[in-house]
Amino acid sequence: MTTLVICVDRSGAIGRATNVPMPVAGWEAVRSLVTDAGLDDPEDASVNCLLESLRVARDLRDEREESVVAVVSAESDTPVGADRSIAAQLDDLVERYDPRAAIVVVDSAEDERVLPVVESRVPVDSVDRVVVRQARDIESTYYLLKQFLADEQLRSTVLVPIGVALLLLPVLFARFSAGEAVAGVAGLLGAALLYKGLAIDRRVAGMPERVREALYAGQVSVVTYVVAGGLALVGGFFGVLAASELDAGSPRLVEAVEFAFAAVPWFAVAGVTAAVGRLLDELIRDEGIRTPYLNLPFVIAAVALVVRGFAGYFLAQEAVRDPLSVYGMAMTPVQQLAAFIVSGIVVSLVGVKVASDVGTETLEDVIDAEREADGRRE
């Protein structure tokens, strides 16, 4: 039985270059075709495809296997016409040689699209794709880029931020220094990639629906979230105000610590307010209070105590703020820090105890329920 080694040329370059009727079959005929195609355009990758076909046929012959090398080349410029002309040439080869199998040799992804046409007429044992060694990386990059451009989601994720950045770059160069312009563009690209990479876009897309559901359901958390946002803004205002009242020569780190010391209590109250609103919703539903929601206010308060303790310690060391006093006795910075840390641990332990006694659902159950709800929204 015969193995047919087929060089496929879907673009029709070989046929146009040599003006030889297709298909061409036989060792001598294909070798002559290599010479004609190479003389017409030595840089054409089809020449390498023809030589690879001859090499494969020679290796089969060395293994004592009967083989026939052949070339099929499209005779039409349209994709449908090209595939039909190749199909007719394959029918001619199958009728002449009655092969038991075929080995297809191609030099591009376009030629490889003809593979189903070949398989419909003869079993294909192997596909040999030829890439010129000097152009291997270039061609691989080309096909990866082509596949990337065909993906609509990747285009919107990568190309849109890059395009916006390139449009803004000349404007920024005209109004700011080169360093500020590059920094601004880099920040924009980083924010866009994080926005997509952290799936923030999905949460933002689903937020109007969640807000609408909360309003229609009469959830108390809607009001407490608004109050929490206002308290957070107040905390930020007082933090900036406290940092601005420091001496002009104060280091940036000291200003940041002063901001944290003044703003953390307000942030903590905002967080506890939002968590209490969620707890009230749980009580109104009358389905039991889930453990994570019950523990959250204590965790927020404990973290706020620890952060304020460290901030007060650093400020006391820099003599920006005086340590606290108890019953008229001033505490040292270390004693003050230890008191805040112990208080935070105690509050956290109280939260764990209360949650374990009153809570009815574990963290894993809450996460699973939220994932199911997100899946239904999508």
Side-chain angles (χ1 to χ4, degrees):
M1 300 296 287
T2 304
T3 298
L4 192 61
V5 181
I6 310 172
C7 174
V8 177
D9 175 32
R10 190 171 187 246
S11 63
I14 297 176
R16 289 192 299 268
T18 59
N19 292 322
V20 175
M22 295 291 166
V24 175
W27 178 274
E28 294 298 333
V30 174
R31 192 165 66 172
S32 176
L33 195 65
V34 171
T35 304
D36 294 340
L39 290 174
D40 182 77
D41 187 1
E43 296 181 350
D44 194 348
S46 300
V47 178
N48 298 91
C49 188
L50 292 170
L51 291 171
E52 176 66 11
S53 303
L54 290 172
R55 187 194 66 79
V56 172
R58 184 197 62 189
D59 292 344
L60 293 176
R61 184 184 59 193
D62 293 342
E63 296 175 0
R64 307 296 181 183
E65 183 176 342
E66 184 179 355
S67 63
V68 175
V69 60
V71 180
V72 293
S73 182
E75 297 175 351
S76 175
D77 294 333
T78 63
V80 175
D83 292 344
R84 284 180 173 176
S85 63
I86 290 176
Q89 296 170 31
L90 290 171
D91 291 336
D92 185 14
L93 292 172
V94 171
E95 183 179 355
R96 270 197 275 172
Y97 299 103
D98 189 24
R100 67 169 181 84
I103 297 176
V104 180
V105 182
V106 297
D107 63 0
S108 67
E110 181 183 2
D111 294 339
E112 204 165 342
R113 293 178 182 175
V114 186
L115 188 59
V117 180
V118 182
E119 290 177 327
S120 66
R121 285 155 175 81
V122 59
V124 176
D125 284 351
S126 176
V127 178
D128 188 355
R129 184 173 176 184
V130 181
V131 179
V132 181
R133 184 174 295 110
Q134 290 84 352
R136 185 180 300 274
D137 294 338
I138 297 175
E139 185 160 341
S140 299
T141 303
Y142 167 75
Y143 285 111
L144 285 175
L145 182 60
K146 189 175 181 181
Q147 184 178 4
F148 165 75
L149 293 176
D151 192 321
E152 183 177 353
Q153 186 174 4
L154 285 175
R155 287 204 310 267
S156 62
T157 305
V158 179
L159 295 185
V160 172
I162 293 176
V164 173
L166 292 176
L167 288 175
L168 288 178
L169 199 57
V171 179
L172 295 177
F173 271 127
R175 297 186 60 86
F176 303 98
S177 64
E180 292 175 341
V182 173
V185 171
L188 173 65
L189 290 176
L193 293 177
L194 285 176
Y195 178 79
K196 199 71 177 180
L198 297 176
I200 299 176
D201 56 330
R202 295 183 180 179
R203 297 181 179 275
V204 172
M207 188 175 297
E209 182 180 354
R210 287 194 290 269
V211 172
R212 185 167 56 251
E213 291 177 355
L215 290 173
Y216 291 160
Q219 294 181 359
V220 180
S221 58
V222 175
V223 179
T224 57
Y225 286 162
V226 175
V227 174
L231 292 173
L233 289 176
V234 172
F237 173 76
F238 278 112
V240 172
L241 193 63
S244 62
E245 291 177 352
L246 296 175
D247 296 336
S250 299
R252 296 287 185 182
L253 180 60
V254 174
E255 292 180 356
V257 174
E258 177 66 23
F259 172 86
F261 185 85
V264 160
W266 291 94
F267 290 161
V269 174
V272 171
T273 302
V276 169
R278 193 63 181 266
L279 283 176
L280 292 176
D281 287 340
E282 295 287 317
L283 289 173
I284 293 173
R285 285 169 51 190
D286 196 20
E287 296 179 0
I289 302 177
R290 290 183 278 189
T291 301
Y293 296 146
L294 189 60
N295 192 35
L296 185 58
F298 296 95
V299 173
I300 294 174
V303 172
L305 285 171
V306 173
V307 172
R308 186 172 172 85
F310 277 103
Y313 171 78
F314 289 126
L315 294 175
Q317 291 288 353
E318 291 292 326
V320 177
R321 287 183 177 271
D322 296 330
L324 298 177
S325 59
V326 179
Y327 299 111
M329 298 178 59
M331 302 174 64
T332 64
V334 175
Q335 291 174 340
Q336 176 179 303
L337 176 61
F340 274 99
I341 292 176
V342 171
S343 300
I345 294 174
V346 170
V347 171
S348 178
L349 292 175
V350 170
V352 172
K353 178 62 176 175
V354 172
S356 62
D357 292 342
V358 182
T360 59
E361 199 169 348
T362 63
L363 177 61
E364 289 77 7
D365 297 333
V366 175
I367 293 175
D368 292 339
E370 291 181 351
R371 284 177 178 174
E372 291 179 0
D374 293 337
R376 288 194 296 268
R377 292 191 187 100
E378 292 178 358

